[in-house]
């Protein structure tokens, strides 16, 4: 099945890419979730629109990616979350919450889909979060999760 990605899918591609996937994966997951559209000649024209939107929000080049990496390396990100006894959280910390915390700490705006969490964050403590800024640049920064009072 030939599809056009509308969002970044880890291990598959970026928005605007035309990829070949198994029928079940495309029909049962990618299409209903809105991650892709079926490939047609008309849909091929939409690829240009998707790529323009991606270029507007994507980090422009390697130099800018290294600047953002330098900003993130000196950042102290702290999240407060409700927790029970023993530091176990009610729910978990999501990538969107981490992106908001980076912004409030004075860091750059990031795309939540580019964050790579070290598993599910369900307890208080310190975690190292990776961000794939550019195909060649990956930044790591510490996130401290503390219990809300």
């Amino acid at each position: 099945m030939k599809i056009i990605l509308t969002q970044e899918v880890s291990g598959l591609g970026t928005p605007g890419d035309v990829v070949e996937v198994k029928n079940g994966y495309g029909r049962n997951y990618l299409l209903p979730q809105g991650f892709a559209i079926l490939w047609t000649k008309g849909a091929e024209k939409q690829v240009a629109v998707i790529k323009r939107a991606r270029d507007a929000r994507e980090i422009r080049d390697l130099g800018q990616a290294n600047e953002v990496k330098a900003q993130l390396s000196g950042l102290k990100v702290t999240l407060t979350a409700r927790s029970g006894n023993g530091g176990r959280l009610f729910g978990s910390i999501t990538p969107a919450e981490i992106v908001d915390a980076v912004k409030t700490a004075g860091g750059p705006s990031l795309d939540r889909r580019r964050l790579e969490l070290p598993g599910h964050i369900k307890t208080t403590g310190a975690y190292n979060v990776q961000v794939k800024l550019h195909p060649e640049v990956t930044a790591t920064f510490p996130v401290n999760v503390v219990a809300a009072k």
Side-chain angles (χ1 to χ4, degrees):
M1 169 182 264
K2 220 173 183 183
I3 59 169
I4 301 171
L5 296 177
T6 57
Q7 294 182 15
E8 184 170 339
V9 179
S10 182
L12 196 57
T14 57
D17 290 349
V18 177
V19 293
E20 184 80 28
V21 295
K22 300 251 181 175
N23 289 338
Y25 184 49
R27 189 173 43 246
N28 297 328
Y29 178 67
L30 295 174
L31 294 174
Q33 295 292 326
F35 294 144
I37 56 175
L38 277 173
W39 180 88
T40 60
K41 289 182 182 179
E44 187 75 37
K45 293 176 186 172
Q46 290 180 334
V47 170
V49 174
I50 292 171
K51 287 193 177 191
R52 265 189 261 130
R54 177 180 65 186
D55 290 342
R57 102 175 152 256
E58 191 177 79
I59 294 177
R60 297 282 178 240
D61 58 1
L62 189 60
Q64 186 180 3
N66 285 326
E67 287 175 21
V68 172
K69 182 178 179 179
Q71 287 178 349
L72 287 173
S73 65
L75 207 59
K76 300 219 183 298
V77 180
T78 303
L79 277 163
T80 57
R82 289 184 36 188
S83 65
N85 294 338
R88 187 166 168 87
L89 301 180
F90 296 126
S92 63
I93 301 296
T94 63
E97 292 173 324
I98 293 173
V99 167
D100 290 340
V102 167
K103 250 187 178 165
T104 56
S109 61
L110 301 171
D111 187 4
R112 65 177 170 76
R113 293 173 293 231
R114 295 188 180 270
L115 287 181
E116 295 175 8
L117 301 180
H120 296 287
I121 299 178
K122 294 188 173 218
T123 57
T124 57
Y127 296 91
N128 285 325
V129 176
Q130 288 187 335
V131 185
K132 192 166 177 131
L133 299 170
H134 189 268
E136 301 170 12
V137 179
T138 303
T140 303
F141 62 94
V143 174
N144 191 19
V145 180
V146 295
K149 297 195 180 349

